[in-house]
Amino acid sequence: MQHFGHIKTWVFDLDNTLYDAETELFRLVADRMTDFVATFLKIETEDANRMRKHYYKTYGTTLRGLMVEHNPDPTEFLQYVHAIDYSIVTPVRQS
């Protein structure tokens, strides 16, 4: 069991809540998930996109579906899908 008592602050991002949805940041992550699925399962991109959506609908997340059905390294998946350019997220000024 992991202990998290040393962590002082938690940040939970519920996709498109901490950043403007117009940045399409989640679309970039979804594209990376599709790429990972295609490479990992050695299937075409269209098939991988369908599988990604199936895993999400069936298991709640793409990663959970992959883990249940194919047992990938979850760290490898998370590092790959989140390797995107975050510079498109800019501060929002409140008036």
Side-chain angles (χ1 to χ4, degrees):
M1 174 180 272
Q2 292 184 337
H3 295 86
F4 298 102
H6 64 285
I7 297 175
K8 304 287 186 226
T9 305
W10 290 86
V11 176
F12 295 91
D13 180 14
L14 304 174
D15 297 328
N16 296 333
T17 57
L18 297 181
Y19 50 85
D20 190 338
E22 291 176 4
T23 63
E24 296 190 5
L25 191 67
F26 191 72
R27 183 191 54 78
L28 297 175
V29 172
D31 290 348
R32 301 278 297 173
M33 283 191 274
T34 297
D35 291 345
F36 184 93
V37 171
T39 301
F40 187 78
L41 298 180
K42 297 176 178 57
I43 60 177
E44 296 295 324
T45 301
E46 286 184 25
D47 295 329
N49 194 42
R50 280 192 290 278
M51 290 304 296
R52 178 183 63 81
K53 290 176 182 180
H54 162 74
Y55 295 147
Y56 176 76
K57 289 177 185 175
T58 304
Y59 298 99
T61 69
T62 300
L63 177 55
R64 179 71 182 138
L66 276 171
M67 290 176 69
V68 167
E69 295 193 15
H70 305 284
N71 199 32
D73 176 356
T75 300
E76 184 181 328
F77 173 86
L78 291 169
Q79 287 176 343
Y80 182 84
V81 303
H82 292 103
I84 57 174
D85 179 8
Y86 290 97
S87 69
I88 60 175
V89 179
T90 57
V92 176
R93 306 255 186 251
Q94 300 268 338
S95 31

